Amino acid sequence: AKYNEQQVKQLTRLIEVTRTNLSKPDRQKVMNMITIDAHSRDIVANIVSGGMDKQDCFLWMCQLRSYWDSSINDCRIRICDASFPYGYEYLGNGPRLVLTPLTDRIYITATQACWLCLGRAPAGPAGL
């Protein structure tokens, strides 16, 4: 419950930022952060309401998560058993950013393919 309150406060603060005088690119970045953080808030709420409180809960493990790695002084992404240094890659078409269960599945599929040194060519509704 405490973490959910923190998430709501962060989202509220980001919404307040959108009401300020931002450049168009900065406004788009903040809007993307709101979309991603709202998705995260909903996932955490589902995990908590389901009584899944273990770190290795599958619903948590199958989410794309980021962690600060002090050994490389940079961010790492994790999903399932895969872990990569975050490369500040292209995040997609920002104005059209929508996170759905299908988005979560393509994140898992593409990241696991990279982790296993396999190719990936997402296309269609599940593609990027």
Side-chain angles (χ1 to χ4, degrees):
K2 278 186 180 182
Y3 184 64
N4 182 257
E5 290 173 17
Q6 179 183 343
Q7 288 178 304
V8 170
K9 284 180 186 176
Q10 288 175 331
L11 278 167
T12 302
R13 178 64 187 123
L14 284 172
I15 291 166
E16 290 169 1
V17 170
T18 65
R19 296 179 182 151
T20 64
N21 188 17
L22 294 172
S23 67
K24 189 173 181 176
D26 286 344
R27 180 172 306 282
Q28 189 58 58
K29 289 174 191 172
V30 173
M31 295 300 292
N32 286 352
M33 289 168 60
I34 290 170
T35 302
I36 292 167
D37 286 356
H39 177 70
S40 175
R41 177 206 56 206
D42 295 345
I43 292 297
V44 170
N46 286 340
I47 290 170
V48 170
S49 70
M52 298 170 262
D53 59 355
K54 303 285 187 255
Q55 188 175 355
D56 62 352
C57 154
F58 182 72
L59 189 56
W60 174 249
M61 296 299 292
C62 70
Q63 296 303 309
L64 186 62
R65 307 170 318 279
S66 56
Y67 296 87
W68 187 256
D69 185 342
S70 57
S71 69
I72 61 171
N73 199 29
D74 206 350
C75 186
R76 292 187 74 79
I77 62 151
R78 294 182 187 163
I79 192 166
C80 297
D81 63 341
S83 177
F84 297 98
Y86 180 59
Y88 306 93
E89 295 88 354
Y90 172 67
L91 294 176
N93 188 354
R96 304 265 186 241
L97 181 64
V98 177
L99 296 174
T100 67
L102 195 57
T103 312
D104 290 336
R105 278 185 260 162
I106 191 61
Y107 285 165
I108 293 170
T109 303
T111 307
Q112 289 301 125
C114 286
W115 185 244
L116 297 170
C117 300
L118 301 172
R120 66 228 166 270
L128 298 175

